[in-house]
Amino acid sequence: MTGVTANERASSAPRRGRPRKEQRQLSRVAIRDAALGVIDAEGIEAVTMRSVSRVLGVDAKSLYHYVDDKDDLLDAVAEHLLEQLHPPTPTDSIEGDLRAWAQEFRRVTLAHPRAAALVLTRQLSSTAGLAPVENILTVLRRTGCSAQQAVHLMRSLLATMIGTLLREVSAGPTFGTTDPEGIADRQHTLEASGLPQVALAAPHLARFDRDSEFDFTVDLMVALITTHLDPTGGE
């Protein structure tokens, strides 16, 4: 076996102060996008600095020049997804505006179902993270209600939407389905449960239409919100 010359060693060794070509192409955006790709393929739990670095073809340590740690990386993904929210055009209808925001929130969430938990549960203090709060408060405050009441109503609406969307992205066939064969199997199981009300409601419990369920929930919340609006104002 021939020895390696000094020139060959010098050309193959990394140069101090000059990152490898792959590392020079790194950025926070590239790392964030790679993490989102891992999430789309394998889920949030698959995201590690190592799994993301493998996608990018770099050493995991090089990521720390752009992100503090895994939490910072997941925050970046959540913020990126929330930045995809497109504000609906305001109208003269508070009910219509709240429904439009709910549907837009759902659109962004379902664009990457496996990343939904990041969008729905991660507490962010950035502009992107607070934008949905600002937008819904703006709609509610147009009614003349106080800031305190608007916060109560906004929290109720967001909590309901978050719960509904988390159920939508994680509900398995046993929760209900639109597949005719699955509906029949689930209905049979429910009718044989020995629970009278469950058996009676079995045809409905066996079905789960995600669009109609979300619309029903939002309509219910919007109706409740409008009945609790206090236009007398106040601080």
Side-chain angles (χ1 to χ4, degrees), residues 81-123:
L81 295 178
L82 286 170
E83 285 169 354
Q84 310 311 306
L85 283 166
H86 301 313
T89 302
T91 69
D92 294 330
S93 169
I94 299 300
E95 296 91 337
D97 288 350
L98 290 175
R99 289 190 184 94
W101 266 112
Q103 293 294 342
E104 178 62 9
F105 198 52
R106 182 181 185 231
R107 181 191 69 80
V108 168
T109 300
L110 299 186
H112 298 273
R114 288 190 165 186
L118 294 181
V119 177
L120 299 172
T121 64
R122 214 154 177 88
Q123 184 152 339

Side-chain angles (χ1 to χ4, degrees), residues 75 79 122-131:
D75 281 348
E79 288 171 356
R122 214 154 177 88
Q123 184 152 339
L124 304 171
S125 298
S126 63
T127 300
L130 292 174

